[in-house]
Amino acid sequence: MRVRELTIDDLDDAWELGRFAFGSDAQRSPHTTVEVPGMTRYGAFDDTGRLVGKAVDLHHDQWWSGRAVAAADVAGVAVAPEARGRGVARALLTALLVGARERGAAISALYPTVAAPYRACGWRPPVCCAPSTSRPPRCPGTGPRRT
């Protein structure tokens, strides 16, 4: 399996995989087949070159202690049914976090429908973590209340 950033030529297949995984409408949104600033799309390809998984890094800032911190908001993670259980999601998420860290992201967030694959990669409730070995900022609501 090979993981890399998707190119324009890969976007039709990525859209089809996402449509299959999420039950999306048959009508494509304009942003699904063009490059979008502030978004990095990753794909996992099998030995034949077929796209078997995808994930998206949405480049956002989150506010921590009154300042903006670059974040990797994970979206659109999908793995073809026949490729599940083979490490595709882990490989995609690892590549996404490496890329996010290289662009300066200090934290990552997601809203998973299934938690186990993300827990295996280091995300914890309230579903935030640092894509590095540095200590992540304390997530709001996780510490003692002050009165």
Side-chain angles (χ1 to χ4, degrees):
M1 175 182 36
R2 183 171 158 238
V3 176
R4 62 170 172 78
E5 285 187 34
L6 295 177
T7 67
I8 290 290
D9 294 335
D10 302 315
L11 296 184
D12 284 335
D13 290 338
W15 182 81
E16 288 292 341
L17 179 58
R19 182 171 175 256
F20 180 75
F22 303 116
S24 304
D25 187 8
Q27 185 66 29
R28 295 178 192 220
S29 299
H31 77 278
T32 60
T33 55
V34 297
E35 288 186 31
V36 178
M39 175 188 292
T40 305
R41 297 170 171 132
Y42 292 89
F45 297 83
D46 68 12
D47 294 337
T48 68
R50 187 174 70 93
L51 181 71
V52 294
K54 70 178 199 77
V56 178
D57 171 9
L58 300 173
H59 308 186
H60 290 138
D61 287 340
Q62 294 184 12
W63 287 89
W64 295 90
S65 300
R67 67 183 179 97
V69 177
D73 293 341
V74 180
V77 179
V79 176
E82 65 278 9
R84 293 179 186 159
R86 298 181 182 169
V88 174
R90 179 181 294 273
L92 279 167
L93 294 169
T94 299
L96 184 149
L97 289 175
V98 167
R101 186 66 184 154
E102 287 173 355
R103 70 172 177 76
I107 58 176
S108 177
L110 56 98
Y111 299 94
T113 55
V114 178
Y118 302 100
R119 280 186 177 271
C121 291
W123 278 273
R124 296 288 183 263
V127 195
C128 66
C129 73
S132 72
T133 57
S134 65
R135 185 175 176 204
R138 186 177 67 79
C139 296
T142 61
R145 288 190 182 269
R146 294 186 181 150
T147 56

